[in-house]
């Protein structure tokens, strides 16, 4: 048996599952076996549909519907993957696939946007985390299976689809006309915010994300010309991805200790991941930005760094997906996705339906810089004011460059991204306090 985990999803290759093996032999009398009474009811319903349904239905269609309903009735993440959906899942974890560029889930029968992916048609159109999709091309989404919804949203690049969404705070539904495209996504983006202070954004967790992160930080350190004074790690609207990627990213900042562990009903569901020595920042301050669109693997990183007191978590409570799904291929073309475990932070916290609460909570706001009033007067504006004999020297003593502006093209930061600006201010405050 071999297994690997993708986005909280455990892929398992089995010659025969334990359940399949139990079907291959008769159940001895007195032992718990198949529920014969319920199976007789199932057979009766199956036969009644074949005989009386208004239109002919093949056995394959009925059994597919039965399997699909059996799995999707368990929780929002268990599902049946037919040939098409199985292929789409494999494409989705490779970093390139066709569609709109949104991670979705089920909530109260509606399709809920977990997070839009950066630089994709959905994100550019204005789709936001938390939106409830109520119509797809005019067709009601209520009661639609997640697989069917994804199938509708995916399509030939260049074709359009209309999404009708209900958003908190809006009095009426919003409509978005979005053109499908091939989704090619770089999972790591980076830049310098100010001298010594760097920014790295992870849009999702793919297999090479950790290596790309380390490469980006090394480039930023080289560009800085000195050890970094602090780093902002942006996990906002990151829907997750490869679990090993999340473990490796956490490991990049941790010297030792448990990163995450899983627990389920069977021994095979119990997994533990530990950090190895080495901190890419050499202990420099780290701020992690999260919001309600940070899910799954993002929550693993935030939870691990928070429990080890390695980072300050800022933003809003995360999505709360703390379950592991096992992909069990039934054949080379079809599989089932089954929730088999929950994952826990190093301190034993279950993220499921709770999420990671930030150390510093930031509200959803947009700030605008006020223009200087002509009525504001300083000492230097007064007639015949005394001159400062050491003009400019005081600023140099305080380590300021005298321009009072963010460099490296980071303009109007306060207006563009309040949360990022707050994270930068926190890092600067820590740096100033540490020096003193």
């Amino acid at each position: 048996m071999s297994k690997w985990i993708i986005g909280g999803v455990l892929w398992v290759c089995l010659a025969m599952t334990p359940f399949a093996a139990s079907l291959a032999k008769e159940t001895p009398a007195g032992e718990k076996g198949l529920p014969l009474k319920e199976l007789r009811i199932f057979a009766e319903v199956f036969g009644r549909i074949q005989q009386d349904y208004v239109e002919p239905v093949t056995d394959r269609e009925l059994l597919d519907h039965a399997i699909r309903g059996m799995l999707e009735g368990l929780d929002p993440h268990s599902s049946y993957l037919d040939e098409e959906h199985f292929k789409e899942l494999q494409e989705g974890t490779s970093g390139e696939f066709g569609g709109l560029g949104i991670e979705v889930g089920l909530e109260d029968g509606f399709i809920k946007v977990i997070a839009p992916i950066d630089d994709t048609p959905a994100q550019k159109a204005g789709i936001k985390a938390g939106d409830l999709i109520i119509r797809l091309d005019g067709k009601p989404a209520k009661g639609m299976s997640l697989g069917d919804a994804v199938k509708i949203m995916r399509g030939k690049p260049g074709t359009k689809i209309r999404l009708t969404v209900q958003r908190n705070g809006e009095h009426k539904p919003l409509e978005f006309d979005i053109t499908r495209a091939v989704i090619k996504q770089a999972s790591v983006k980076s830049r310098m915010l100010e001298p010594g202070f760097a920014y790295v954004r992870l849009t999702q967790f793919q297999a090479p994300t950790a290596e790309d992160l380390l490469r980006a930080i090394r480039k930023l350190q080289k560009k800085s010309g000195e050890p970094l004074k602090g780093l902002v790690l942006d996990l906002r609207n990151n829907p997750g991805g490869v679990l090993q990627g999340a473990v490796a990213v956490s490991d990049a900042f941790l010297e030792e200790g448990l990163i995450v562990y899983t627990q389920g009903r069977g021994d095979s569901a119990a997994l533990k991941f530990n950090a190895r020595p080495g901190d890419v920042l050499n202990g420099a301050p780290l701020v992690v930005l999260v919001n309600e669109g940070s899910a799954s693997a993002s929550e693993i990183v935030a939870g691990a760094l928070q429990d080890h007191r390695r980072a300050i978590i800022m933003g809003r409570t995360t999505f709360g997906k703390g379950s592991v799904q096992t992909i069990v291929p039934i054949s080379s073309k079809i599989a089932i996705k089954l929730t088999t475990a929950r994952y826990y932070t190093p301190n034993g916290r279950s993220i499921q339906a709770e999420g990671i609460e930030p150390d510093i909570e930031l509200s959803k706001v947009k700030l605008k810089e006020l223009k200087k009033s002509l009525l504001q007067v300083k000492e230097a504006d007064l007639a015949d004011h005394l001159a400062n004999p050491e003009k400019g020297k005081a600023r140099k003593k305080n380590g300021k460059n005298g321009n009072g502006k963010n460099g490296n093209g980071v303009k109007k930061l306060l207006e563009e991204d309040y949360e990022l600006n707050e994270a930068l201010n926190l890092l600067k405050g820590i740096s100033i306090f540490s020096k003193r």
Side-chain angles (χ1 to χ4, degrees):
M1 179 180 72
S2 61
K3 57 186 178 182
W4 62 101
I5 301 180
I6 295 187
V9 176
L10 180 65
W11 289 63
V12 181
C13 297
L14 300 171
M16 179 178 287
T17 66
F19 180 72
S22 70
L23 291 179
K25 59 182 180 180
E26 292 185 10
T27 304
E31 292 187 14
K32 186 176 179 180
L34 295 176
L36 297 180
K37 181 179 178 180
E38 286 74 13
L39 285 176
R40 289 192 186 99
I41 295 174
F42 175 84
E44 177 68 24
V45 173
F46 187 91
R48 186 66 64 180
I49 294 173
Q50 284 184 319
Q51 178 179 322
D52 297 334
Y53 187 64
V54 65
E55 292 180 354
V57 186
T58 65
D59 293 348
R60 173 68 182 272
E61 287 177 304
L62 284 178
L63 290 173
D64 277 355
H65 293 329
I67 297 171
R68 195 183 308 276
M70 183 166 51
L71 288 161
E72 293 181 356
L74 297 174
D75 63 76
H77 306 294
S78 296
S79 62
Y80 171 61
L81 304 173
D82 58 21
E83 183 175 350
E84 184 175 356
H85 292 136
F86 191 27
K87 182 179 179 181
E88 288 174 354
L89 178 67
Q90 293 169 315
E91 291 173 349
T93 56
S94 67
E96 179 176 326
F97 54 95
L100 306 179
I102 51 178
E103 180 81 9
V104 293
L106 279 176
E107 181 173 289
D108 298 329
F110 287 107
I111 308 301
K112 183 177 182 177
V113 177
I114 297 175
I117 300 172
D118 282 1
D119 301 323
T120 60
Q123 191 261 347
K124 293 175 182 177
I127 297 295
K128 295 183 178 181
D131 285 348
L132 289 179
I133 300 175
I134 57 178
R135 287 183 178 271
L136 292 166
D137 268 343
K139 185 177 180 180
K142 176 73 172 177
M144 187 180 294
S145 73
L146 193 60
D148 289 339
V150 170
K151 185 176 180 179
I152 293 174
M153 286 187 281
R154 289 193 173 185
K156 186 177 180 181
T159 60
K160 290 186 176 182
I161 183 173
R162 171 167 290 189
L163 267 60
T164 306
V165 308
Q166 186 67 53
R167 179 176 297 168
N168 283 337
E170 297 290 341
H171 299 295
K172 59 180 182 179
L174 305 175
E175 291 190 337
F176 298 88
D177 291 315
I178 308 176
T179 302
R180 298 179 178 91
V182 174
I183 309 300
K184 295 181 179 180
Q185 184 188 7
S187 63
V188 178
K189 300 178 181 179
S190 62
R191 66 182 182 188
M192 293 298 298
L193 296 175
E194 286 190 6
F197 298 100
Y199 169 85
V200 174
R201 168 154 178 76
L202 304 184
T203 57
Q204 71 173 9
F205 290 88
Q206 300 172 352
T209 296
E211 282 299 320
D212 292 343
L213 168 73
L214 295 173
R215 192 178 301 112
I217 292 177
R218 285 194 288 265
K219 288 182 179 179
L220 292 170
Q221 289 174 329
K222 185 177 180 181
K223 188 174 183 180
S224 176
E226 60 180 350
L228 293 177
K229 300 176 185 177
L231 174 72
V232 178
L233 181 64
D234 191 352
L235 299 181
R236 291 173 296 176
N237 296 323
N238 183 322
V242 180
L243 180 58
Q244 275 90 345
V247 170
V249 167
S250 303
D251 191 8
F253 304 106
L254 295 174
E255 290 282 359
E256 61 180 359
L258 184 63
I259 293 175
V260 66
Y261 67 94
T262 65
Q263 285 186 344
R265 292 173 62 187
D267 293 339
S268 61
L271 301 171
K272 287 186 177 181
F273 300 89
N274 293 284
R276 297 166 296 179
D279 178 355
V280 67
L281 294 179
N282 294 316
L286 177 64
V287 173
V288 179
L289 285 175
V290 297
N291 65 4
E292 56 281 341
S294 305
S296 192
S298 297
E299 296 172 288
I300 291 174
V301 174
L305 296 179
Q306 186 180 55
D307 281 4
H308 284 285
R309 298 182 181 273
R310 178 60 187 91
I312 297 174
I313 312 300
M314 292 185 72
R316 294 180 296 281
T317 302
T318 58
F319 182 77
K321 183 185 181 296
S323 60
V324 177
Q325 283 69 47
T326 302
I327 301 295
V328 183
I330 304 302
S331 70
S332 61
K333 297 182 178 180
I334 62 174
I336 62 172
K337 181 169 67 169
L338 186 66
T339 300
T340 55
R342 290 181 174 88
Y343 56 73
Y344 297 81
T345 69
N347 287 350
R349 294 182 294 160
S350 173
I351 300 168
Q352 179 59 28
E354 293 291 335
I356 298 295
E357 292 187 9
D359 300 309
I360 300 177
E361 187 171 354
L362 300 176
S363 300
K364 274 187 177 181
V365 297
K366 185 175 183 179
L367 303 183
K368 186 174 183 180
E369 186 177 6
L370 297 177
K371 294 182 179 179
K372 183 179 179 181
S373 172
L374 296 177
L375 299 177
Q376 292 176 332
V377 178
K378 294 184 176 182
E379 172 72 16
D381 298 321
L382 298 178
D384 300 324
H385 67 271
L386 291 175
N388 188 326
E390 297 185 359
K391 186 178 181 180
K393 294 182 180 180
R395 297 186 66 83
K396 291 181 180 179
K397 287 180 181 179
N398 290 330
K400 296 181 180 179
N401 57 19
N403 60 20
K405 295 181 181 179
N406 294 332
N408 299 288
V410 186
K411 297 179 179 179
K412 297 183 180 178
L413 186 61
L414 185 63
E415 293 184 24
E416 294 175 358
D417 196 333
Y418 160 71
E419 295 163 13
L420 176 55
N421 188 66
E422 288 295 290
L424 175 60
N425 284 336
L426 178 58
L427 285 176
K428 290 163 70 175
I430 294 173
S431 178
I432 293 170
F433 184 79
S434 298
K435 289 180 180 179
R436 292 179 178 175

